[in-house]
Amino acid sequence: MYKIGLVRVLSNFDKNFMNSHGRIIEKNFPNIEVESMAIKDQSEGIHDEETEIIAIPKIIELVKENYTDKDAVIISCAGDPALQELRKEVKVPVIGAGESASLVSKIYGKKVGVVGITKKVPKSYKMIIGDDIVGKPYIEGIENTLDLMKDFGRERALKHCHNLKSLGAEVLVFACTGLSTIKIAPYIEKEIGLKVVDCVYAEGLMAYGACIRRNFYEKIK
Amino acid sequence: MYKIGLVRVLSNFDKNFMNSHGRIIEKNFPNIEVESMAIKDQSEGIHDEETEIIAIPKIIELVKENYTDKDAVIISCAGDPALQELRKEVKVPVIGAGESASLVSKIYGKKVGVVGITKKVPKSYKMIIGDDIVGKPYIEGIENTLDLMKDFGRERALKHCHNLKSLGAEVLVFACTGLSTIKIAPYIEKEIGLKVVDCVYAEGLMAYGACIRRNFYEKIK
């Protein structure tokens, strides 16, 4: 059994909510056990530079205190807060939702539409997809991840995706794990007709890859 | 059971050899069945621009005639011959060894050492890793994938990796699937102390991701 430690950046300690990303990963990848913990005092999660800056030391502390003996650690936030810092400080492979989704999206199309809630394109998307991003990255009229859970959240997300397709997007990539929480990827794929790369799907795939790597190389000996 | 069609670009029709990449993938990912076929008249595989150009139409024909009903198609060559062409012509997701390895390597380090047999950095590595590539991409004294199977092949590959580490590489990525065939990744990881991204490992992971994507989205509904 591979063990993954997952960091939630929305301070909701209801177990059903906190474990929701981990449950999706456990359901879809074999031999994976995900432990999830949330950082404190971020009731609206991370949705701009300020909320990211205050989250970084909390994430580093959480991982160093709880997850250094895992096979992989996931920071389940598209902004990839503390990702680079942690890679310097811990030996366990650290996977970021944003980096994973950006990387996986490149397989499915050159022109990429970003579906998120921040005015700025999160840093990994900018670095990895860069000039191939079409349109705006944020869903008009959505302030934070909580808005996504309301009825108008789904409608506005869909409208944003239609617009990205009309601008030439060949693939859509989520840039907010709140879109995974509301499980909207299959709905958008069906309505829009483009492949959608969901952040929890991508981080799960990359974390699974990190888990099996050693074993893989053992088996090919 | 997911079905993957895999293209070998070295014209060796011995079943044990032809299926070697597919077998590695089947062993490491659950519910995967890989069918492998090789293109004709390329007894030294693809190792420069000329050998790539003549391979492209053969790969397109092979895939269109045999693999369009698969869940994913893998072109098991780091040069990613025919990858972009096929993505325009077939509906099935097409995975390239070089693109997959380049993308996965970005998770394990910023400065990347490339371990291959071509004087030029293969195109996906150049596009995805670009200025973060350190040193030369090719193993000195290796002419083609057949040389890798000789004793001096392993020695020269190891020497090349030592050199890349001394130049600042934080991760090593293979740029030749012949290095997967000789199963040298675990040996290099142990000797050099850097993570190694093997092409067949990376293409397997990305193809697995393509296979489970639809199912993943079904399950999160």
Side-chain angles (χ1 to χ4, degrees), chain B residues 2 22 41 48 57 70 82 89-90 109 126 170 179 182 187 206:
Chain B
Y2 299 112
D41 305 322
D48 58 18
K70 300 287 186 186
E89 297 201 30
V90 299
K126 205 170 164 187
E170 297 161 354
L179 292 159
I182 64 166
Y187 174 66
M206 289 304 185

Side-chain angles (χ1 to χ4, degrees), chain A residues 24-25 27-30 87 91 93-95 99-100 102-104 106-110 127-128 132 180 183-187 189-190 194-202 205-206 208-221, chain B residues 24-25 27-30 87 91 93-96 99-100 102-104 106-110 127-128 180 183-187 189-190 194-202 205-206 208-221:
Chain A
I24 294 172
I25 293 168
K27 259 191 212 167
N28 284 282
F29 298 94
R87 283 185 179 157
K91 277 197 157 186
V94 187
I95 305 298
E99 184 184 68
S100 302
S102 310
L103 292 172
V104 172
K106 290 191 79 79
I107 289 198
Y108 295 104
K110 188 166 160 57
M127 274 181 59
I128 294 163
D132 287 322
S180 309
K183 300 175 180 181
I184 200 173
Y187 174 66
E189 281 214 337
K190 198 175 154 230
L194 290 180
K195 289 199 170 66
V196 172
V197 177
D198 175 283
C199 291
V200 174
Y201 159 73
L205 183 64
M206 288 304 184
Y208 183 67
C211 288
I212 68 163
R213 219 186 88 265
R214 197 169 18 185
N215 204 16
F216 188 94
Y217 292 164
E218 286 299 316
K219 283 188 192 168
I220 64 170
K221 264 182 195 169
Chain B
I24 294 173
I25 293 168
K27 260 192 209 167
N28 283 281
F29 298 94
R87 282 186 180 156
K91 277 198 157 185
V94 187
I95 306 296
E99 183 183 68
S100 301
S102 310
L103 292 172
V104 172
K106 289 192 79 78
I107 289 198
Y108 296 103
K110 189 169 161 52
M127 275 182 58
I128 294 163
S180 309
K183 301 175 180 180
I184 200 175
Y187 174 66
E189 282 215 338
K190 200 174 154 231
L194 290 179
K195 288 198 171 67
V196 172
V197 177
D198 175 281
C199 291
V200 174
Y201 160 73
L205 183 63
M206 289 304 185
Y208 183 67
C211 288
I212 69 162
R213 219 186 86 264
R214 198 168 19 183
N215 204 16
F216 187 95
Y217 293 163
E218 286 299 315
K219 283 189 191 167
I220 65 172
K221 263 182 195 167

Side-chain angles (χ1 to χ4, degrees), chain A residues 5-87:
Chain A
L6 185 145
V7 183
R8 298 294 308 254
V9 300
L10 185 67
S11 304
N12 181 331
F13 302 94
D14 170 75
K15 282 215 167 150
N16 187 38
F17 180 87
M18 196 164 64
N19 295 333
S20 60
H21 296 172
R23 257 196 331 268
I24 294 172
I25 293 168
E26 284 176 344
K27 259 191 212 167
N28 284 282
F29 298 94
N31 303 321
I32 293 277
E33 194 177 271
V34 184
E35 180 182 355
S36 300
M37 298 179 86
I39 57 170
K40 285 175 195 159
D41 305 323
Q42 304 237 177
S43 59
E44 291 180 356
I46 292 178
H47 52 90
D48 57 18
E49 245 168 291
E50 195 194 338
T51 47
E52 176 171 344
I53 288 167
I54 55 169
I56 289 177
K58 300 183 205 173
I59 296 168
I60 294 174
E61 195 190 337
L62 189 158
V63 171
K64 287 175 101 172
E65 282 187 7
N66 301 284
Y67 289 159
T68 51
D69 61 341
K70 300 286 187 188
D71 294 300
V73 167
I74 293 174
I75 301 167
S76 199
C77 171
D80 292 338
L83 179 65
Q84 301 307 333
E85 292 87 341
L86 273 171
R87 283 185 179 157

Side-chain angles (χ1 to χ4, degrees), chain A residues 24 115 139 142 148-161 172 174 176-192 194 196-199, chain B residues 216-217 220-221:
Chain A
I24 294 172
V115 188
I139 304 164
I142 296 289
L148 288 174
M149 296 175 210
K150 296 165 189 161
D151 279 345
F152 69 81
R154 289 178 76 85
E155 281 164 43
R156 288 179 188 171
L158 189 67
K159 193 178 161 195
H160 178 67
C161 295
L172 299 171
F174 286 174
C176 172
T177 56
L179 292 159
S180 309
T181 309
I182 64 167
K183 300 175 180 181
I184 200 173
Y187 174 66
I188 291 180
E189 281 214 337
K190 198 175 154 230
E191 292 291 320
I192 308 288
L194 290 180
V196 172
V197 177
D198 175 283
C199 291
Chain B
F216 187 95
Y217 293 163
I220 65 172
K221 263 182 195 167

Side-chain angles (χ1 to χ4, degrees), chain A residues 95-154:
Chain A
I95 305 298
E99 184 184 68
S100 302
S102 310
L103 292 172
V104 172
S105 74
K106 290 191 79 79
I107 289 198
Y108 295 104
K110 188 166 160 57
K111 293 291 170 191
V112 184
V114 178
V115 188
I117 59 168
T118 53
K119 298 274 168 183
K120 277 191 181 175
V121 177
K123 52 185 172 297
S124 295
Y125 299 73
K126 206 170 162 184
M127 274 181 59
I128 294 163
I129 312 171
D131 293 342
D132 287 322
I133 293 174
V134 300
K136 288 181 303 187
Y138 63 96
I139 304 164
E140 199 85 54
I142 296 289
E143 292 291 323
N144 55 48
T145 187
L146 305 176
D147 279 352
L148 288 174
M149 296 175 210
K150 296 165 189 161
D151 279 345
F152 69 81
R154 289 178 76 85

